[in-house]
Structures are given as structure tokens and as C-alpha cells.
Amino acid sequence: DSGVTQTPKHLITATGQRVTLRCSPRSGDLSVYWYQQSLDQGLQFLIQYYNGEERAKGNILERFSAQQFPDLHSELNLSSLELGDSALYFCASSPLRGRTGELFFGEGSRLTVL
Amino acid sequence: QQQVKQSPQSLIVQKGGISIINCAYENTAFDYFPWYQQFPGKGPALLIAIRPDVSEKKEGRFTISFNKSAKQFSLHIMDSQPGDSATYFCAASQDSWGKLQFGAGTQVVVTP
């Protein structure tokens, strides 16, 4: 158990809809990362937050947005969903003290868009 | 565009054999190279990591070899066991904020 909690584990929705994925990082970890894992794209970095502020952005679509709240949990919002958005969405956290180190991943939220 | 290129895509090895996975990168600013292991239904978990100031790091049956001049690094799994069957990802990071760029992954199957 990595200590990172993601909900929901599974989500099935229709095209055009909007969903919110939630992540609770490990206790004390200030940094949260979101990754998308699909069969043909591997693990793609979406966005990173550090102590409530956006720190880095990757291949995140404009239809997607995220935020990190004062209690450090994070939410990834996916809107106007398309079939191609079906994927596993992982959240990871890191204490981020000093040099780059280990990222701790949750078990993911599997999104299916029909 | 994949900043870290990983091969092979899949690998079948007999129990007791050696599994070798290779990765190559272009960005010379990368300064942290971890390998993650992922089992079905689980998130990736750190297996072993190396920084460019050393050429090799060993932890149990897992060894990273790092060639800075060739911009390549590899994972060797010695005495492979069925429990090692998983997907392995190499990754690289270029700054202290920890954003990892992952390779495409290698599915390793160890046969009994």
C-alpha cells in the first residue's frame, strides 16, 4: 500500500459528460502528480501541484483541469469526454524535499467512456 | 514525442534466466533515472534508481547499468522468478521537482 488513495476505482460514463477524479496523497507529501495511462501511449504526465500551486504542466488537454486544495488532496476534472479519454488515471505524491526522489502512485481510476 | 525510448515491448524469459530491458534518452539535463514495476491492477512502484554520477547500481537481483556517454541505461533482472512477471517502466527526470518522463513499458513474463 503506497498510502496514496484514489477514488473512484472505476467509472463508466458517456461521451460529452464530465467527471471528477479524486486523490489523497500520502500524509505529509506536498506534491501531487497526475498521469494518464493508455495502452498506446504509456504513462503520460498531465500536471503537477505543489502545496496548492500548479508547478508543471504536461500533455494535459484544455478539457481537463486540476487543482490541489488546502488539505493537499487533489482533483482532476475531465469534461466534454470523448471515447479516446478512456484510460487509467494515476495520481502520485512525493515529499519533494531536496533532490528528485521516489513518486508514490495510487492504484488508479479506470475511466471508460462509452 | 517520447523523451525516453524503451525496448523491448515485451519479453519472455525462463525461470532462473536474465531479463534485460534497455532505455535511451536524448535530454542531457536528465539527472535521475528510476525504474518502476507495475503489477496488473496496481500503480507503478519504484524498483531501483540511479543518478548519472555512478555507472552501476545493484539491489538484490536487480541491477541498473548506466552509460552517460551513450545516453543509455538498462535494467538487468538476474535469476528471474515467476513473481517478477510485471510491466517495467524506465523513467527520467531533469529537475528537482520530480516530474518523471516514462518509457513505453516492457511486459516481462517469467515462465516456470
Side-chain angles (χ1 to χ4, degrees), chain A residues 4-20:
Chain A
V4 177
T5 304
Q6 290 188 246
T7 56
K9 289 193 183 305
H10 302 276
L11 193 53
I12 300 174
T13 189
T15 54
Q17 295 298 303
R18 172 190 170 94
V19 299
T20 297

mmCIF file with all atom_site columns, all heavy atoms in Angstrom, chain A residues 4-20:
data_model
loop_
_atom_site.group_PDB
_atom_site.id
_atom_site.type_symbol
_atom_site.label_atom_id
_atom_site.label_alt_id
_atom_site.label_comp_id
_atom_site.label_asym_id
_atom_site.label_entity_id
_atom_site.label_seq_id
_atom_site.pdbx_PDB_ins_code
_atom_site.Cartn_x
_atom_site.Cartn_y
_atom_site.Cartn_z
_atom_site.occupancy
_atom_site.B_iso_or_equiv
_atom_site.pdbx_formal_charge
_atom_site.auth_seq_id
_atom_site.auth_comp_id
_atom_site.auth_asym_id
_atom_site.auth_atom_id
_atom_site.pdbx_PDB_model_num
ATOM 1   N N   . VAL A 1 4  ? -1.261  6.389  -1.067  1.00 0.00 ? 4  VAL A N   1
ATOM 2   C CA  . VAL A 1 4  ? -1.989  7.324  -1.925  1.00 0.00 ? 4  VAL A CA  1
ATOM 3   C C   . VAL A 1 4  ? -3.350  6.706  -2.245  1.00 0.00 ? 4  VAL A C   1
ATOM 4   O O   . VAL A 1 4  ? -3.419  5.573  -2.709  1.00 0.00 ? 4  VAL A O   1
ATOM 5   C CB  . VAL A 1 4  ? -1.214  7.596  -3.230  1.00 0.00 ? 4  VAL A CB  1
ATOM 6   C CG1 . VAL A 1 4  ? -2.018  8.518  -4.143  1.00 0.00 ? 4  VAL A CG1 1
ATOM 7   C CG2 . VAL A 1 4  ? 0.145   8.211  -2.904  1.00 0.00 ? 4  VAL A CG2 1
ATOM 8   N N   . THR A 1 5  ? -4.401  7.451  -2.006  1.00 0.00 ? 5  THR A N   1
ATOM 9   C CA  . THR A 1 5  ? -5.758  6.951  -2.210  1.00 0.00 ? 5  THR A CA  1
ATOM 10  C C   . THR A 1 5  ? -6.432  7.668  -3.368  1.00 0.00 ? 5  THR A C   1
ATOM 11  O O   . THR A 1 5  ? -6.437  8.902  -3.409  1.00 0.00 ? 5  THR A O   1
ATOM 12  C CB  . THR A 1 5  ? -6.607  7.148  -0.942  1.00 0.00 ? 5  THR A CB  1
ATOM 13  O OG1 . THR A 1 5  ? -5.949  6.507  0.159   1.00 0.00 ? 5  THR A OG1 1
ATOM 14  C CG2 . THR A 1 5  ? -7.987  6.529  -1.119  1.00 0.00 ? 5  THR A CG2 1
ATOM 15  N N   . GLN A 1 6  ? -6.971  6.873  -4.286  1.00 0.00 ? 6  GLN A N   1
ATOM 16  C CA  . GLN A 1 6  ? -7.676  7.441  -5.423  1.00 0.00 ? 6  GLN A CA  1
ATOM 17  C C   . GLN A 1 6  ? -9.101  6.925  -5.456  1.00 0.00 ? 6  GLN A C   1
ATOM 18  O O   . GLN A 1 6  ? -9.341  5.736  -5.236  1.00 0.00 ? 6  GLN A O   1
ATOM 19  C CB  . GLN A 1 6  ? -6.988  7.057  -6.738  1.00 0.00 ? 6  GLN A CB  1
ATOM 20  C CG  . GLN A 1 6  ? -5.666  7.726  -6.947  1.00 0.00 ? 6  GLN A CG  1
ATOM 21  C CD  . GLN A 1 6  ? -5.140  7.465  -8.348  1.00 0.00 ? 6  GLN A CD  1
ATOM 22  O OE1 . GLN A 1 6  ? -4.130  6.801  -8.543  1.00 0.00 ? 6  GLN A OE1 1
ATOM 23  N NE2 . GLN A 1 6  ? -5.821  8.016  -9.348  1.00 0.00 ? 6  GLN A NE2 1
ATOM 24  N N   . THR A 1 7  ? -10.040 7.821  -5.744  1.00 0.00 ? 7  THR A N   1
ATOM 25  C CA  . THR A 1 7  ? -11.430 7.429  -5.923  1.00 0.00 ? 7  THR A CA  1
ATOM 26  C C   . THR A 1 7  ? -12.028 8.168  -7.110  1.00 0.00 ? 7  THR A C   1
ATOM 27  O O   . THR A 1 7  ? -11.594 9.295  -7.422  1.00 0.00 ? 7  THR A O   1
ATOM 28  C CB  . THR A 1 7  ? -12.271 7.761  -4.670  1.00 0.00 ? 7  THR A CB  1
ATOM 29  O OG1 . THR A 1 7  ? -12.155 9.155  -4.371  1.00 0.00 ? 7  THR A OG1 1
ATOM 30  C CG2 . THR A 1 7  ? -11.819 6.936  -3.469  1.00 0.00 ? 7  THR A CG2 1
ATOM 31  N N   . PRO A 1 8  ? -12.992 7.564  -7.830  1.00 0.00 ? 8  PRO A N   1
ATOM 32  C CA  . PRO A 1 8  ? -13.391 6.170  -7.695  1.00 0.00 ? 8  PRO A CA  1
ATOM 33  C C   . PRO A 1 8  ? -12.385 5.241  -8.356  1.00 0.00 ? 8  PRO A C   1
ATOM 34  O O   . PRO A 1 8  ? -11.516 5.697  -9.096  1.00 0.00 ? 8  PRO A O   1
ATOM 35  C CB  . PRO A 1 8  ? -14.722 6.142  -8.456  1.00 0.00 ? 8  PRO A CB  1
ATOM 36  C CG  . PRO A 1 8  ? -14.540 7.162  -9.525  1.00 0.00 ? 8  PRO A CG  1
ATOM 37  C CD  . PRO A 1 8  ? -13.701 8.258  -8.925  1.00 0.00 ? 8  PRO A CD  1
ATOM 38  N N   . LYS A 1 9  ? -12.466 3.955  -8.119  1.00 0.00 ? 9  LYS A N   1
ATOM 39  C CA  . LYS A 1 9  ? -11.572 2.991  -8.763  1.00 0.00 ? 9  LYS A CA  1
ATOM 40  C C   . LYS A 1 9  ? -11.994 2.749  -10.210 1.00 0.00 ? 9  LYS A C   1
ATOM 41  O O   . LYS A 1 9  ? -11.153 2.538  -11.088 1.00 0.00 ? 9  LYS A O   1
ATOM 42  C CB  . LYS A 1 9  ? -11.566 1.672  -7.997  1.00 0.00 ? 9  LYS A CB  1
ATOM 43  C CG  . LYS A 1 9  ? -10.873 1.748  -6.662  1.00 0.00 ? 9  LYS A CG  1
ATOM 44  C CD  . LYS A 1 9  ? -10.623 0.368  -6.098  1.00 0.00 ? 9  LYS A CD  1
ATOM 45  C CE  . LYS A 1 9  ? -10.006 0.403  -4.725  1.00 0.00 ? 9  LYS A CE  1
ATOM 46  N NZ  . LYS A 1 9  ? -8.770  1.176  -4.679  1.00 0.00 ? 9  LYS A NZ  1
ATOM 47  N N   . HIS A 1 10 ? -13.280 2.746  -10.418 1.00 0.00 ? 10 HIS A N   1
ATOM 48  C CA  . HIS A 1 10 ? -13.823 2.527  -11.760 1.00 0.00 ? 10 HIS A CA  1
ATOM 49  C C   . HIS A 1 10 ? -14.937 3.537  -12.010 1.00 0.00 ? 10 HIS A C   1
ATOM 50  O O   . HIS A 1 10 ? -15.693 3.874  -11.102 1.00 0.00 ? 10 HIS A O   1
ATOM 51  C CB  . HIS A 1 10 ? -14.401 1.120  -11.911 1.00 0.00 ? 10 HIS A CB  1
ATOM 52  C CG  . HIS A 1 10 ? -13.423 0.026  -11.652 1.00 0.00 ? 10 HIS A CG  1
ATOM 53  N ND1 . HIS A 1 10 ? -12.542 -0.446 -12.600 1.00 0.00 ? 10 HIS A ND1 1
ATOM 54  C CD2 . HIS A 1 10 ? -13.179 -0.690 -10.529 1.00 0.00 ? 10 HIS A CD2 1
ATOM 55  C CE1 . HIS A 1 10 ? -11.809 -1.402 -12.071 1.00 0.00 ? 10 HIS A CE1 1
ATOM 56  N NE2 . HIS A 1 10 ? -12.163 -1.567 -10.825 1.00 0.00 ? 10 HIS A NE2 1
ATOM 57  N N   . LEU A 1 11 ? -15.031 3.968  -13.268 1.00 0.00 ? 11 LEU A N   1
ATOM 58  C CA  . LEU A 1 11 ? -16.042 4.949  -13.639 1.00 0.00 ? 11 LEU A CA  1
ATOM 59  C C   . LEU A 1 11 ? -16.426 4.713  -15.096 1.00 0.00 ? 11 LEU A C   1
ATOM 60  O O   . LEU A 1 11 ? -15.548 4.636  -15.958 1.00 0.00 ? 11 LEU A O   1
ATOM 61  C CB  . LEU A 1 11 ? -15.461 6.351  -13.463 1.00 0.00 ? 11 LEU A CB  1
ATOM 62  C CG  . LEU A 1 11 ? -16.367 7.564  -13.501 1.00 0.00 ? 11 LEU A CG  1
ATOM 63  C CD1 . LEU A 1 11 ? -17.518 7.419  -12.525 1.00 0.00 ? 11 LEU A CD1 1
ATOM 64  C CD2 . LEU A 1 11 ? -15.559 8.801  -13.168 1.00 0.00 ? 11 LEU A CD2 1
ATOM 65  N N   . ILE A 1 12 ? -17.698 4.570  -15.334 1.00 0.00 ? 12 ILE A N   1
ATOM 66  C CA  . ILE A 1 12 ? -18.193 4.411  -16.707 1.00 0.00 ? 12 ILE A CA  1
ATOM 67  C C   . ILE A 1 12 ? -19.145 5.566  -16.972 1.00 0.00 ? 12 ILE A C   1
ATOM 68  O O   . ILE A 1 12 ? -20.054 5.824  -16.191 1.00 0.00 ? 12 ILE A O   1
ATOM 69  C CB  . ILE A 1 12 ? -18.926 3.073  -16.893 1.00 0.00 ? 12 ILE A CB  1
ATOM 70  C CG1 . ILE A 1 12 ? -17.984 1.902  -16.583 1.00 0.00 ? 12 ILE A CG1 1
ATOM 71  C CG2 . ILE A 1 12 ? -19.458 2.959  -18.324 1.00 0.00 ? 12 ILE A CG2 1
ATOM 72  C CD1 . ILE A 1 12 ? -18.670 0.541  -16.606 1.00 0.00 ? 12 ILE A CD1 1
ATOM 73  N N   . THR A 1 13 ? -18.912 6.253  -18.077 1.00 0.00 ? 13 THR A N   1
ATOM 74  C CA  . THR A 1 13 ? -19.744 7.401  -18.392 1.00 0.00 ? 13 THR A CA  1
ATOM 75  C C   . THR A 1 13 ? -19.896 7.522  -19.903 1.00 0.00 ? 13 THR A C   1
ATOM 76  O O   . THR A 1 13 ? -19.322 6.739  -20.662 1.00 0.00 ? 13 THR A O   1
ATOM 77  C CB  . THR A 1 13 ? -19.155 8.690  -17.789 1.00 0.00 ? 13 THR A CB  1
ATOM 78  O OG1 . THR A 1 13 ? -20.078 9.765  -17.938 1.00 0.00 ? 13 THR A OG1 1
ATOM 79  C CG2 . THR A 1 13 ? -17.847 9.050  -18.480 1.00 0.00 ? 13 THR A CG2 1
ATOM 80  N N   . ALA A 1 14 ? -20.647 8.500  -20.324 1.00 0.00 ? 14 ALA A N   1
ATOM 81  C CA  . ALA A 1 14 ? -20.933 8.653  -21.757 1.00 0.00 ? 14 ALA A CA  1
ATOM 82  C C   . ALA A 1 14 ? -20.153 9.830  -22.338 1.00 0.00 ? 14 ALA A C   1
ATOM 83  O O   . ALA A 1 14 ? -19.692 10.722 -21.604 1.00 0.00 ? 14 ALA A O   1
ATOM 84  C CB  . ALA A 1 14 ? -22.425 8.868  -21.957 1.00 0.00 ? 14 ALA A CB  1
ATOM 85  N N   . THR A 1 15 ? -20.025 9.832  -23.647 1.00 0.00 ? 15 THR A N   1
ATOM 86  C CA  . THR A 1 15 ? -19.351 10.943 -24.305 1.00 0.00 ? 15 THR A CA  1
ATOM 87  C C   . THR A 1 15 ? -20.083 12.243 -23.993 1.00 0.00 ? 15 THR A C   1
ATOM 88  O O   . THR A 1 15 ? -21.305 12.265 -23.820 1.00 0.00 ? 15 THR A O   1
ATOM 89  C CB  . THR A 1 15 ? -19.301 10.746 -25.828 1.00 0.00 ? 15 THR A CB  1
ATOM 90  O OG1 . THR A 1 15 ? -20.632 10.528 -26.314 1.00 0.00 ? 15 THR A OG1 1
ATOM 91  C CG2 . THR A 1 15 ? -18.425 9.564  -26.199 1.00 0.00 ? 15 THR A CG2 1
ATOM 92  N N   . GLY A 1 16 ? -19.300 13.308 -23.854 1.00 0.00 ? 16 GLY A N   1
ATOM 93  C CA  . GLY A 1 16 ? -19.864 14.621 -23.575 1.00 0.00 ? 16 GLY A CA  1
ATOM 94  C C   . GLY A 1 16 ? -20.033 14.931 -22.101 1.00 0.00 ? 16 GLY A C   1
ATOM 95  O O   . GLY A 1 16 ? -20.275 16.080 -21.732 1.00 0.00 ? 16 GLY A O   1
ATOM 96  N N   . GLN A 1 17 ? -19.900 13.905 -21.267 1.00 0.00 ? 17 GLN A N   1
ATOM 97  C CA  . GLN A 1 17 ? -20.098 14.104 -19.827 1.00 0.00 ? 17 GLN A CA  1
ATOM 98  C C   . GLN A 1 17 ? -18.847 14.661 -19.153 1.00 0.00 ? 17 GLN A C   1
ATOM 99  O O   . GLN A 1 17 ? -17.782 14.790 -19.768 1.00 0.00 ? 17 GLN A O   1
ATOM 100 C CB  . GLN A 1 17 ? -20.503 12.781 -19.170 1.00 0.00 ? 17 GLN A CB  1
ATOM 101 C CG  . GLN A 1 17 ? -21.847 12.255 -19.631 1.00 0.00 ? 17 GLN A CG  1
ATOM 102 C CD  . GLN A 1 17 ? -22.970 13.214 -19.287 1.00 0.00 ? 17 GLN A CD  1
ATOM 103 O OE1 . GLN A 1 17 ? -23.179 13.587 -18.125 1.00 0.00 ? 17 GLN A OE1 1
ATOM 104 N NE2 . GLN A 1 17 ? -23.719 13.624 -20.293 1.00 0.00 ? 17 GLN A NE2 1
ATOM 105 N N   . ARG A 1 18 ? -18.993 14.955 -17.864 1.00 0.00 ? 18 ARG A N   1
ATOM 106 C CA  . ARG A 1 18 ? -17.897 15.488 -17.059 1.00 0.00 ? 18 ARG A CA  1
ATOM 107 C C   . ARG A 1 18 ? -17.735 14.605 -15.823 1.00 0.00 ? 18 ARG A C   1
ATOM 108 O O   . ARG A 1 18 ? -18.724 14.185 -15.226 1.00 0.00 ? 18 ARG A O   1
ATOM 109 C CB  . ARG A 1 18 ? -18.228 16.917 -16.635 1.00 0.00 ? 18 ARG A CB  1
ATOM 110 C CG  . ARG A 1 18 ? -17.280 17.543 -15.638 1.00 0.00 ? 18 ARG A CG  1
ATOM 111 C CD  . ARG A 1 18 ? -17.851 18.854 -15.109 1.00 0.00 ? 18 ARG A CD  1
ATOM 112 N NE  . ARG A 1 18 ? -17.093 19.359 -13.983 1.00 0.00 ? 18 ARG A NE  1
ATOM 113 C CZ  . ARG A 1 18 ? -16.109 20.233 -14.078 1.00 0.00 ? 18 ARG A CZ  1
ATOM 114 N NH1 . ARG A 1 18 ? -15.754 20.711 -15.254 1.00 0.00 ? 18 ARG A NH1 1
ATOM 115 N NH2 . ARG A 1 18 ? -15.458 20.649 -13.002 1.00 0.00 ? 18 ARG A NH2 1
ATOM 116 N N   . VAL A 1 19 ? -16.484 14.323 -15.456 1.00 0.00 ? 19 VAL A N   1
ATOM 117 C CA  . VAL A 1 19 ? -16.216 13.514 -14.266 1.00 0.00 ? 19 VAL A CA  1
ATOM 118 C C   . VAL A 1 19 ? -15.123 14.180 -13.442 1.00 0.00 ? 19 VAL A C   1
ATOM 119 O O   . VAL A 1 19 ? -14.333 14.983 -13.954 1.00 0.00 ? 19 VAL A O   1
ATOM 120 C CB  . VAL A 1 19 ? -15.782 12.070 -14.624 1.00 0.00 ? 19 VAL A CB  1
ATOM 121 C CG1 . VAL A 1 19 ? -16.878 11.342 -15.395 1.00 0.00 ? 19 VAL A CG1 1
ATOM 122 C CG2 . VAL A 1 19 ? -14.468 12.067 -15.399 1.00 0.00 ? 19 VAL A CG2 1
ATOM 123 N N   . THR A 1 20 ? -15.097 13.823 -12.163 1.00 0.00 ? 20 THR A N   1
ATOM 124 C CA  . THR A 1 20 ? -14.055 14.308 -11.261 1.00 0.00 ? 20 THR A CA  1
ATOM 125 C C   . THR A 1 20 ? -13.389 13.133 -10.584 1.00 0.00 ? 20 THR A C   1
ATOM 126 O O   . THR A 1 20 ? -14.063 12.262 -10.019 1.00 0.00 ? 20 THR A O   1
ATOM 127 C CB  . THR A 1 20 ? -14.655 15.242 -10.190 1.00 0.00 ? 20 THR A CB  1
ATOM 128 O OG1 . THR A 1 20 ? -15.203 16.402 -10.833 1.00 0.00 ? 20 THR A OG1 1
ATOM 129 C CG2 . THR A 1 20 ? -13.579 15.683 -9.207  1.00 0.00 ? 20 THR A CG2 1
#
